[in-house]
Amino acid sequence: MEKTFLMVKPDGVQRSLIGEIVSRFEKKGFRLAGAKLMAISTELAEQHYGEHKERPFFGELVDFITSGPVFAMVWEGENVIAVARQMMGATNPKDAAAATIRGDFAVTVGKNIIHGSDSLESAEREISLFFKEEELAEYAKSIGEWVY
Ligand code: IDP
């Protein structure tokens, strides 16, 4: 089954949105495979956002993501990578539809509450950057048969 890496950014943690965000993915029917509140080192931030190294906002992005704890998660489910991106909404909250996380809770692109992997390749890379294999739980949920 497909897995994705999702992370409540420091602004989402400060704004007490961890529970709200976890709840949305839980209610959707996805399965939580791992989660932790953690600080991101500058080195990890630079690796995670490596594709944006040449962008003018890279320094600001690294400073922001290391400015306070994040809530890192791995979620599993059918098409979870694409569906989680839909549930997050557009990168810039001004373009994010209502009823998406960014549409409902964020105003600016620099403080857009949540990160989510954008492809199978980045999901695999990001999960292994943030989680050891033993931190992920493999289990079946009894409601699974009512979702699939
Ligand atoms: P994504 O988070 O929706 O995948 P990306 O294009 O991968 O969007 O950008 C990563 C993050 O960089 C965004 O979530 C946003 O917080 C930040 N970012 C993107 N564009 C800008 C910008 O123009 N100024 C400041 N931050 C930006």
Side-chain angles (χ1 to χ4, degrees), residues 80-102:
V80 68
I81 298 170
V83 175
R85 294 278 300 183
Q86 282 173 11
M87 292 169 67
M88 286 160 51
T91 302
N92 192 329
K94 82 174 166 55
D95 304 318
T100 65
I101 293 164
R102 288 163 170 169

Side-chain angles (χ1 to χ4, degrees), residues 19-148:
E20 166 74 32
I21 288 169
V22 168
S23 180
R24 288 187 179 211
F25 292 103
E26 255 189 330
K27 287 177 188 162
K28 175 73 177 169
F30 293 137
R31 185 182 75 83
L32 185 63
K36 57 185 171 184
L37 187 75
M38 61 177 281
I40 299 188
S41 65
T42 302
E43 188 188 9
L44 178 58
E46 287 174 351
Q47 276 181 288
H48 174 65
Y49 282 127
E51 64 173 305
H52 297 302
K53 221 176 174 76
E54 306 307 325
R55 309 279 282 276
F57 58 85
F58 182 69
E60 188 188 323
L61 184 57
V62 169
D63 286 349
F64 172 63
I65 209 71
T66 58
S67 66
V70 300
F71 192 68
M73 301 168 279
V74 175
W75 286 89
E76 183 185 89
E78 205 168 289
N79 301 312
V80 68
I81 298 170
V83 175
R85 294 278 300 183
Q86 282 173 11
M87 292 169 67
M88 286 160 51
T91 302
N92 192 329
K94 82 174 166 55
D95 304 318
T100 65
I101 293 164
R102 288 163 170 169
D104 286 353
F105 303 118
V107 177
T108 66
V109 71
K111 293 197 172 70
N112 62 2
I113 306 283
I114 184 166
H115 168 83
S117 308
D118 62 4
S119 66
L120 195 55
E121 190 188 21
S122 59
E124 285 171 359
R125 190 179 74 84
E126 291 167 1
I127 290 168
S128 61
L129 259 183
F130 281 84
F131 286 90
K132 299 188 186 108
E133 209 154 300
E134 62 267 26
E135 291 178 309
L136 301 180
E138 287 297 336
Y139 62 101
K141 290 187 81 167
S142 56
I143 60 155
E145 65 183 288
W146 301 103
V147 176
Y148 295 102

Side-chain angles (χ1 to χ4, degrees), residues 4-31:
T4 195
F5 173 71
L6 301 180
M7 171 169 72
V8 183
K9 297 183 182 180
D11 51 337
V13 173
Q14 291 297 329
R15 292 182 54 197
S16 309
L17 290 171
I18 295 173
E20 166 74 32
I21 288 169
V22 168
S23 180
R24 288 187 179 211
F25 292 103
E26 255 189 330
K27 287 177 188 162
K28 175 73 177 169
F30 293 137
R31 185 182 75 83

